[in-house]
Amino acid sequence: MTAKNKITVKRNAQPKEKPATDQLAFGTVFTDHMFVMDYTEGTGWHDARIVPYEPFMLDPAAIVLHYGQTVFEGLKAYVTDDKEVVLFRPDENMKRLNRSNERLCMPNFDEELMLDALKELVSLDKEWIPDREGTSLYIRPFIFATQPYLGVAPSKTYRLMIILSPVGAYYKEGMNPVKIAVESEFVRAAVGGTGSAKTAGNYAGAMKAQEVAEAAGYSQVLWLDAKEHKYIEEVGAMNVFFKINGEVITPSLNGSILEGITRKSVIELLQSWGFPVTERKVSIQEIFDANAAGTLEEAFGTGTAAVISPMGELSWGDEKCEINGNQIGELSLKLYETITGIQTGRVEDPFNWVVKVD
Amino acid sequence: MTAKNKITVKRNAQPKEKPATDQLAFGTVFTDHMFVMDYTEGTGWHDARIVPYEPFMLDPAAIVLHYGQTVFEGLKAYVTDDKEVVLFRPDENMKRLNRSNERLCMPNFDEELMLDALKELVSLDKEWIPDREGTSLYIRPFIFATQPYLGVAPSKTYRLMIILSPVGAYYKEGMNPVKIAVESEFVRAAVGGTGSAKTAGNYAGAMKAQEVAEAAGYSQVLWLDAKEHKYIEEVGAMNVFFKINGEVITPSLNGSILEGITRKSVIELLQSWGFPVTERKVSIQEIFDANAAGTLEEAFGTGTAAVISPMGELSWGDEKCEINGNQIGELSLKLYETITGIQTGRVEDPFNWVVKVD
Ligand SMILES: Cc1ncc(COP(=O)(O)O)c(C=O)c1O
Ligand SMILES: Cc1ncc(COP(=O)(O)O)c(C=O)c1O
């Protein structure tokens, strides 16, 4: 770490009360500190600092408010059964954040410095990490354009922040298969667009479809491709896998799909188990056909929030299909238990996915 | 206006120095005041107020920074030859802003109140409106999600702001045809996405293509459709028109194109002149074919910033086409002079497009 990159720390003199761990929701409560770093064209990233969590001043003309030049990441810190604090593949999140930067014409950062910052911040606020089964500390690094300028052009100044939020268990009443609506009107991302970057606009655009699906009793939408409305892309903000006739298949990374870290981990795990996994185009018709033929064995989403989310029912226009009798599949459960087991230290970590904070 | 909707005014006690009108750029300098109004679920819009222009406090977890839930508008105030201050079709901007709100799951506002707010704010800062030929006061209304929440869902709180920026003439050295690169890799918007809304993510995603085109010596990109990469959508942040064999054609509003107010005005003007205008799909091949056949007479972009921007050269992969000998077309010029004439009061306004501020 160069002198310029040293992280200064200003402790919060008024620490907040921590919420009860059985009352935790997602993303509503924030810890006592945050990491901040600024970028100025010509100077680069500077003033890396940990400061009390608090609102900050933004110019009304800041580019982020108008043109959405911003990228983010999401990962978690867990307390293991041995009371150690660990992160799950944080290097992958930092790499993806820099890839998102590239797509959005934003400046790269030093991944080593950021990993240090993550660890230092989490360590400082480690009392905030809940330790009930399934709970964790959600970590949100994000970078946004701050220059007050109304021309549509990359900003000359940016701010990078990391904020932390203690979150409750995703499966409060145990894992449950969910009902998914195949989206036939709205599109999340197109090849040539920003779908493979973790950037704000993808999520703003997705809210409408989610709203419509929820009103109709579904928990998420399944996105089809922008070109033909035939091929499966993702489910909500998760990647998606199907087990058909003993083979696991997942849509290949075509440029409009986010390269999920849970997706990558699932593929690597399955391969290590000698399980056949294929990344290729998957049409929604193929899934309904497989289900009709009795060969669709399991379907599940993957993402940092839920880890594995089994799909119990798919609705596509007038057609419906129930998957695996609306039960959690064997492989879905094994993947869930292995990954969460690695995260909590209950299961061996042959890939060195887990990174200790202290 | 109800009592709840009354606009309070807090004057700026430290007015800034105004920039020299021959030094003005675009969107870098802001006036002394801004309009602000807040939205809270359950209460609706409240606290409409004009206050000094200044930075404001935002929570690091505000939804706009992460998921880009934000919409905006752009219009201008002009000083007429009679020293009156006027707006050009501001009701159209307010309608479009509410349509954008709808797509982004954001709350509608009262368009009457907003028109009052626009006028009151512009009137208060009218000393800031430059009156040199071609200059104007750019008006930027925008609305963004403020709730501190990391779940991907519509915010329960919003802020609406209007800021003002004196801008120089778009054509400082007279109108000049520009070189345009047809974009073959990146995509601005897909049908089913957010292209027809004026929302941040569309602009963030477009920066990369613009950067590449600029580096290659082009001033803007021409966007093709996301599905087939065949049909013309827009040029940079402008709508686009072609005159072929005496007929004016423009891409129809297919869901991924922004419904430009200059576009609408051009169509209405041409129709009033008895000029044939057709809204339909236009392929890039058709334009190159027409040019080869000698029937492509003019091509121009339309938007609030430039009003009319003639295209002099199109580059598409290895092919290039020069349009109208790289000269400004007759119709382009007539449209430009008529619209800017109406805006400055030099030309009669048979459509009542112009709205007086005082
Ligand atoms: C759109 C989208 N797809 C997929 C994922 C899953 O990625 P990961 O497994 O890295 O959490 C996410 C984020 O979590 C996402 O936002
Ligand atoms: C993407 C895009 N297309 C077209 C236009 C032209 O619209 P208008 O004529 O209303 O300015 C704009 C904005 O000005 C725009 O942002």
Side-chain angles (χ1 to χ4, degrees), chain A residues 263-282:
Chain A
R263 176 186 183 279
K264 187 174 184 175
S265 306
V266 162
I267 293 173
E268 290 170 15
L269 262 184
L270 289 172
Q271 284 168 341
S272 78
W273 295 342
F275 220 101
V277 194
T278 312
E279 299 179 59
R280 62 164 167 84
K281 277 188 162 191
V282 187

Side-chain angles (χ1 to χ4, degrees), chain B residues 29-72:
Chain B
V29 168
F30 302 92
T31 67
D32 287 325
H33 299 90
M34 61 184 182
F35 175 81
V36 186
M37 182 161 75
D38 291 307
Y39 179 90
T40 312
E41 200 181 67
T43 308
W45 289 105
H46 57 88
D47 290 306
R49 57 200 186 271
I50 289 173
V51 292
Y53 183 100
E54 61 185 7
F56 63 98
M57 296 291 261
L58 192 65
D59 195 285
I63 289 175
V64 65
L65 296 173
H66 303 267
Y67 308 129
Q69 204 194 5
T70 172
V71 296
F72 72 92

Side-chain angles (χ1 to χ4, degrees), chain A residues 37-113:
Chain A
M37 183 161 75
D38 290 308
Y39 179 90
T40 311
E41 199 181 67
T43 307
W45 288 105
H46 57 89
D47 290 306
R49 56 201 187 271
I50 290 173
V51 293
Y53 182 100
E54 63 184 9
F56 63 97
M57 296 292 259
L58 192 66
D59 196 285
I63 288 176
V64 65
L65 296 173
H66 303 267
Y67 307 129
Q69 205 195 6
T70 171
V71 296
F72 72 93
E73 270 303 327
L75 68 161
K76 287 177 170 179
Y78 308 86
V79 177
T80 66
D81 287 357
D82 300 340
K83 303 291 169 207
E84 278 186 324
V85 178
V86 300
L87 305 173
F88 185 73
R89 312 191 78 174
D91 48 317
E92 292 288 341
N93 292 92
M94 295 305 103
K95 276 189 221 155
R96 187 169 64 188
L97 191 53
N98 262 338
R99 287 200 302 274
S100 298
N101 274 330
E102 169 69 24
R103 178 64 183 83
L104 276 294
C105 305
M106 295 169 63
N108 274 21
F109 56 80
D110 177 349
E111 292 167 20
E112 285 300 318
L113 166 71

Side-chain angles (χ1 to χ4, degrees), chain A residues 192-350:
Chain A
T194 55
S196 63
K198 227 168 146 68
T199 183
N202 298 336
Y203 299 82
M207 288 179 184
K208 189 81 184 173
Q210 175 68 19
E211 195 172 77
V212 173
E214 265 176 39
Y218 297 93
S219 74
Q220 303 272 351
V221 302
L222 182 147
W223 299 106
L224 298 179
D225 75 287
K227 198 166 172 171
E228 301 181 71
H229 276 271
K230 268 190 190 168
Y231 297 100
I232 295 172
E233 300 242 319
E234 306 196 33
V235 166
M238 292 187 282
N239 296 111
V240 60
F241 288 78
F242 301 92
K243 182 162 170 260
I244 301 178
N245 225 351
E247 182 195 10
V248 174
I249 56 177
T250 187
S252 38
L253 301 172
N254 60 353
S256 57
I257 292 175
L258 191 82
E259 202 174 332
I261 294 158
T262 319
R263 176 186 183 279
K264 187 174 184 175
S265 306
V266 162
I267 293 173
E268 290 170 15
L269 262 184
L270 289 172
Q271 284 168 341
S272 78
W273 295 342
F275 220 101
V277 194
T278 312
E279 299 179 59
R280 62 164 167 84
K281 277 188 162 191
V282 187
S283 76
I284 185 68
Q285 188 65 57
E286 174 182 357
I287 299 305
F288 273 75
D289 288 350
N291 196 59
T295 55
L296 177 61
E297 295 155 1
E298 301 186 31
F300 56 92
T302 66
T304 294
V307 182
I308 301 291
S309 172
M311 310 194 320
E313 187 186 312
L314 269 179
S315 158
W316 179 32
D318 296 335
E319 295 184 65
K320 277 201 198 328
C321 87
E322 197 189 61
I323 300 166
N324 192 31
N326 202 24
Q327 300 299 307
I328 303 169
E330 215 179 293
L331 193 65
S332 305
L333 192 63
K334 186 175 172 191
L335 284 163
Y336 178 76
E337 296 201 321
T338 306
I339 296 176
T340 56
I342 291 174
Q343 288 164 343
T344 50
R346 276 196 298 271
V347 169
E348 207 209 333
D349 174 22

